[in-house]
Amino acid sequence: MKNEEVKRRAVIKGINFRYEVFPRDVEDVRALVVKTGFFRDDEISVAAELVAERLNRGPESGYCFVMAEEGERLTGYACYGPIPCTVLSFDLYWIAVDPGFQGRGLGKDLLHEAERLIHKMGGGRVYVETSSKTQYDSTRRFYERCGYSVASVLDDFYAPGDSKVTYLKRLQKATRSAK
């Protein structure tokens, strides 16, 4: 990554973005995801495992990160990566913001930064999956306000009464080679 992208300033004063993951991020991401109150224990473990996978395998892991921090305190993050065997499609695996920073534009800023980097990597489509549970109403509204539309709903996917809602956003024209 170019030097000018080592750190970028977020919308909120005092928040910077970084794109490398550090060993401390495994537990910082775990703590942040727990703090949101949205996720089950198995989901929390997966969030931390993706950071560890990036640390262990580097870019070959397929997981990319935007970490938002105030000093060295993690205030939010996004995890994304190319979908294997596709030409233009990327998944946004995680986006989470510390509850003390929610409602201030940090989530939107993280999402836009991930989209910018996806586009720079040749991505043209971003997919996001979330739950249909009432608890996730604000999450679904967030994606819709950010230009995402519902691409599919898989009934009872996570559990009875808990469907998977997949959102899609088409980015400006881009190209990437299939891997």
Side-chain angles (χ1 to χ4, degrees), residues 39-55:
F39 304 102
R40 299 183 317 256
D41 289 345
D42 58 330
E43 294 170 315
I44 294 163
S45 293
V46 167
E49 287 168 13
L50 297 185
V51 178
E53 183 74 8
R54 176 63 188 215
L55 285 167

Side-chain angles (χ1 to χ4, degrees), residues 140-151:
R140 292 189 304 277
R141 285 191 307 270
F142 168 75
Y143 290 124
E144 290 165 5
R145 283 192 315 269
C146 291
Y148 286 75
S149 58
V150 174

